[in-house]
Amino acid sequence: MSAVKQRVAVISIAASASMAAVKFAVGVAIGSIALISEALHSSVDLIATVVTWIVVRVSDKPADAEHHYGHGKLESLSALGVIALLYILAGGIVVESYSRLREGAAPPTLTALPFVVLVVDIVVNFWRARALHRTAMETKSQALEADALHFASDVLGSFAVIIGLGLAAFGYAWGDAGAAIAVAVLISILGLRLGKTTIETLLDRAPEGASEKAEAAIRAIPGVVDVERLRVRMVGARHFVDATVQVPRTYPIDRIDSIKRKAQDAVTGALYDADLTFTAVPVARDNESVRERIMVIARNSGLAIHHVTVHDLGGKLTVSIDLEVDGDMPLNEAHDIAHGLEHAIRDEFGADVEVDTHIEPLEPELPHGTDAAISRVETIQQALSRFAAESGAIHDVHNVRVRDTDAGEIVNFHCRAVPSMSVIAVHEKVDEIERALRRAFPSVKRVISHAEPAR
């Protein structure tokens, strides 16, 4: 995109230089203060275009160690400098035109040449203004937008000069100076408009409608509960968005990170070019279950729990939990941990809640093992198939793997069950097989099964 902006700026430089030189030469030749003023206006545009060409080369540089938000503000600063030049030029034109009116200076010598030059200038500037405005909108470039306004003012200024020269041709000697003053007023109006936009950007005023678009894009992402606060500011062509977003406290970190990435893509799509700072605030949702709330309490305490069962006995809440702790921990320390967890649950649900905590050793990470001999695997598979047949519900034991570790043998196997069986029924039947295997082979430390629906 930087190459597009630079190419448009270079074309503008060539056009500005040629038209300014022609208008100035013809203005001096016929003695027209209006045409000379318009030439000077174009000369300022030439300076502005050169500045723009330089600025767009720098403003698109990425952020670095000293400029964390990039270099886009250079476009706003260059626009302020050009505005200052325009007002200096407008003041000079007004002073000179008033002097000519007061002194009764002779009207310009008119021929067809200045009118031809002005018509060509209108066509060229109209084309440049459209091309620059289109590129400025596509790239969100303030520098190119300022350049487009300059050329648009040239178009209107040329019309004013044509009118002034026409009045002079019909005997109204003040027409030329009056047209020059009109050019000065036009320059001032356009400078005021550009200055307002530029100053608002430097003061970090949120672009019109940007906050609404960014917030709508974030709210549309699944998992977002609410947007607490959102701020937007422009630096060059880029929107910098700071968003504080509520997410469910039950979500794991990787899911929240996924929401953040989706938010960045959504905001970029809504605002064309955006850098999002996403702050996630975990909150409790109204539809959280008791089990989810207990899991949050345990997670926030850094505790491993499982088999959480919850019952409502006539308005009284009863909770049973399996709490895993280091197997080498003294019982009194483990009991204190369990007591702290129970206390936290009562703080959440009320003092009358009944909490029972079963303390068990945390399953250690098993050491690396080696695959058992094929004969051992075949023996285990035959036993599993026999136990499955005895269960009357499980069959087709396959994909059996046996590994030897220092802690004992680890057995993994797959099996099939009737597709219509409930998960509870399948789990009970598979548990029976696992228990039977451990009774038959005491060296088996752990059995991991995977039930599949029958084909």
Side-chain angles (χ1 to χ4, degrees):
M1 194 60 71
S2 175
V4 174
K5 293 196 287 185
Q6 292 183 40
R7 183 172 62 253
V8 173
V10 169
I11 294 173
S12 296
I13 290 174
S16 295
S18 57
M19 293 311 304
V22 172
K23 285 190 288 186
F24 186 79
V26 174
V28 171
I30 67 174
S32 170
I33 181 63
L35 193 52
I36 293 173
S37 298
E38 182 59 21
L40 292 175
H41 182 199
S42 296
S43 299
V44 173
D45 287 347
L46 174 60
I47 296 173
T49 306
V50 172
V51 172
T52 300
W53 180 66
I54 296 173
V55 166
V56 295
R57 291 169 64 90
V58 178
S59 64
D60 280 339
K61 288 183 178 180
D64 54 34
E66 296 180 349
H67 305 87
H68 297 178
Y69 292 93
H71 301 77
K73 291 286 188 182
L74 283 174
E75 294 201 13
S76 300
L77 292 175
S78 70
L80 284 181
V82 171
I83 292 168
L85 286 177
L86 287 175
Y87 277 107
I88 292 172
L89 173 62
I93 292 173
V94 170
V95 170
E96 178 62 24
S97 299
Y98 177 74
S99 176
R100 289 201 175 200
L101 287 173
R102 186 181 60 185
E103 296 173 0
T109 303
L110 295 178
T111 64
L113 181 59
F115 292 98
V116 173
V117 169
L118 288 168
V119 170
V120 173
D121 184 60
I122 288 172
V123 173
V124 172
N125 285 330
F126 181 75
W127 171 78
R128 286 189 300 170
R130 285 193 61 187
L132 282 168
H133 179 72
R134 183 168 57 250
T135 306
M137 293 300 100
E138 291 174 354
T139 61
K140 309 298 182 183
S141 171
Q142 279 194 323
L144 290 184
E145 185 180 0
D147 223 12
L149 281 174
H150 296 157
F151 293 134
S153 69
D154 278 351
V155 172
L156 299 176
S158 295
F159 275 116
V161 174
I162 289 175
I163 294 172
L165 293 178
L167 289 172
F170 283 102
Y172 298 96
W174 52 264
D176 184 51
I181 293 175
V183 171
V185 171
L186 182 61
I187 292 172
S188 300
I189 294 174
L190 291 174
L192 182 64
R193 175 185 171 186
L194 178 60
K196 179 177 180 293
T197 303
T198 303
I199 291 173
E200 286 178 347
T201 299
L202 289 173
L203 294 177
D204 289 333
R205 181 180 185 273
E208 190 71 28
S211 298
E212 291 77 8
K213 290 180 181 178
E215 183 171 338
I218 293 174
R219 286 184 181 277
I221 298 171
V224 170
V225 177
D226 196 9
V227 178
E228 283 188 6
R229 185 178 69 174
L230 187 140
R231 297 181 295 182
V232 183
R233 65 170 173 161
M234 289 284 291
V235 178
R238 172 164 288 192
H239 295 79
F240 284 86
V241 183
D242 296 328
T244 302
V245 181
Q246 294 181 356
V247 296
R249 63 176 183 170
T250 55
Y251 279 9
I253 294 177
D254 56 347
R255 186 166 182 183
I256 293 175
D257 184 64
S258 175
I259 292 175
K260 182 187 297 185
R261 291 196 302 271
K262 291 178 181 178
Q264 173 66 68
D265 295 339
V267 172
T268 298
L271 299 180
Y272 170 76
D273 187 7
D275 187 307
L276 174 65
T277 299
F278 186 100
T279 302
V281 178
V283 295
R285 294 178 296 177
D286 294 337
N287 61 347
E288 275 186 4
S289 67
V290 173
R291 181 177 288 103
E292 286 177 327
R293 292 164 68 182
I294 292 174
M295 295 298 291
V296 168
I297 293 171
R299 185 184 63 200
N300 291 342
S301 301
L303 301 177
I305 64 173
H306 63 278
H307 287 173
V308 179
T309 58
V310 180
H311 298 282
D312 186 355
L313 304 178
K316 182 179 181 180
L317 192 66
T318 65
V319 178
S320 299
I321 303 171
D322 284 1
L323 170 65
E324 297 182 45
V325 298
D326 185 353
D328 295 327
M329 178 183 294
L331 180 59
N332 60 329
E333 294 182 16
H335 184 267
D336 289 341
I337 293 174
H339 181 75
L341 176 60
E342 294 170 359
H343 182 74
I345 293 174
R346 291 190 180 95
D347 285 343
E348 176 77 11
F349 297 99
D352 59 340
V353 64
E354 181 180 301
V355 185
D356 291 314
T357 305
H358 170 65
I359 301 173
E360 63 181 44
L362 182 66
E363 188 73 25
E365 291 189 10
L366 297 177
H368 293 291
T370 58
D371 289 331
I374 295 178
S375 58
R376 181 62 171 176
V377 175
E378 292 175 347
T379 300
I380 296 291
Q381 181 163 359
Q382 291 172 2
L384 287 171
S385 297
R386 184 173 68 254
F387 297 144
E390 292 173 357
S391 73
I394 304 300
H395 63 281
D396 189 16
V397 174
H398 60 284
N399 198 18
V400 178
R401 301 181 303 280
V402 182
R403 295 179 177 88
D404 291 322
T405 72
D406 292 340
E409 290 179 308
I410 308 298
V411 177
N412 298 73
F413 72 93
H414 289 206
C415 59
R416 300 190 188 280
V418 177
S420 59
M421 284 183 66
S422 68
V423 172
I424 293 177
V426 172
H427 184 266
E428 289 176 349
K429 292 297 183 180
V430 171
D431 270 356
E432 290 178 4
I433 297 173
E434 293 176 0
R435 288 193 296 270
L437 184 67
R438 284 197 295 271
R439 286 194 300 269
F441 300 91
S443 60
V444 173
K445 169 66 176 178
R446 188 177 180 188
V447 182
I448 304 167
S449 61
H450 174 73
E452 303 168 349
R455 296 175 180 174

